[in-house]
Amino acid sequence: NLFQENTFVLWSDKTNDAIIIDPGMMNNSERDIVDKFIADKKLKVNKVLLTHAHIDHAASAAYISTKYGCEVFANLGDNSLAEGLPMQAQMFHLKIDVQPLVIHKYLIDGDVLTLGDEAIEVIATPGHSLGGLVYYIPNIKTAFVGDTIFQRSIGRTDLPGGNFGELIESIKTKVFKLPHETVLIPGHGPSTTVGEEIRCNPYLQ
């Protein structure tokens, strides 16, 4: 769609339990793609995880929560964004049907979730939004970073809740403390690694 946002489905091969990170689908055809994937894999979706509650990442969070009977997890700092999804749609002139989103469980820095045998560490990274989160899976050295950092770039800070200084601090003190080989999977565009961004990201030199 307009935002070309990356939505992720993670699951356990042992249990078929699944989580969806940032379901940003904005119409029925996009939702159908995700639903078909879940059905084909026979997955049991039990959580929606939001890296943040901007509309391009959260537009279908309520849809997934209702359809699969699961809860939405995010940081309290983004509660106003979640409640204001219809206003966000108006701001971007989107002709989509979206309702205020209820966050069922609030996550904080240091929380640990599980998916099958895997631990998922929650890392607070405010700056792109007040409640920005990264989901780090240490066993496979992979982090889902939302719009905190991109390949050779960083998230914008001109939207409500954005703060350039906080974002740079979050990246340097949180993301860049992960092992250099950690794969960073962002909310838009291609993946990268911690080491590559330490060396090459022009915003962080």
Side-chain angles (χ1 to χ4, degrees):
N1 58 37
L2 172 68
F3 297 97
Q4 298 184 33
E5 181 262 353
N6 298 326
T7 292
F8 302 98
V9 182
L10 283 64
W11 70 93
S12 164
D13 285 330
K14 293 181 180 178
T15 65
N16 277 14
D17 288 330
I19 60 175
I20 298 183
I21 298 178
D22 290 354
M25 306 86 76
M26 291 192 175
N27 56 50
N28 286 335
S29 65
E30 293 177 358
R31 295 184 190 111
D32 288 346
I33 292 169
V34 175
D35 287 336
K36 184 178 186 304
F37 183 88
I38 291 167
D40 288 348
K41 296 285 187 182
K42 297 181 173 59
L43 302 180
K44 299 175 289 187
V45 180
N46 55 38
K47 289 183 183 68
V48 173
L49 304 183
L50 298 181
T51 61
H52 61 296
H54 286 152
I55 194 163
D56 52 328
H57 293 252
S60 281
Y63 168 82
I64 294 294
S65 174
T66 299
K67 182 176 180 67
Y68 297 101
C70 60
E71 294 181 315
V72 177
F73 292 65
N75 181 269
L76 177 62
D78 274 11
N79 198 52
S80 61
L81 288 176
E83 293 177 343
L85 282 183
M87 189 180 302
Q88 291 190 56
Q90 291 179 0
M91 184 173 68
F92 285 106
H93 306 290
L94 300 173
K95 293 179 171 57
I96 63 172
D97 181 21
V98 63
Q99 302 301 314
L101 175 64
V102 174
I103 299 172
H104 301 107
K105 295 284 180 66
Y106 293 119
L107 297 172
I108 62 172
D109 190 71
D111 280 346
V112 179
L113 306 170
T114 57
L115 178 62
D117 296 333
E118 301 284 357
I120 303 173
E121 298 179 3
V122 179
I123 303 171
T125 55
H128 177 64
S129 72
L130 286 174
L133 297 174
V134 164
Y135 298 105
Y136 173 54
I137 306 177
N139 191 45
I140 57 172
K141 292 187 173 62
T142 299
F144 294 85
V145 296
D147 291 359
T148 295
I149 187 170
F150 305 114
Q151 184 185 63
R152 308 294 191 273
S153 189
I154 59 173
R156 60 190 292 184
T157 56
D158 58 333
L159 297 172
N163 183 297
F164 180 81
E166 277 192 351
L167 183 61
I168 296 300
E169 181 75 5
S170 290
I171 295 170
K172 288 185 174 181
T173 63
K174 300 288 187 65
V175 178
F176 282 1
K177 295 301 182 184
L178 299 174
H180 282 207
E181 64 271 26
T182 301
V183 177
L184 303 179
I185 303 183
H188 307 268
S191 58
T192 182
T193 67
V194 169
E196 280 295 306
E197 297 312 307
I198 289 174
R199 290 191 295 272
C200 303
N201 194 308
Y203 293 89
L204 295 150
Q205 301 305 308

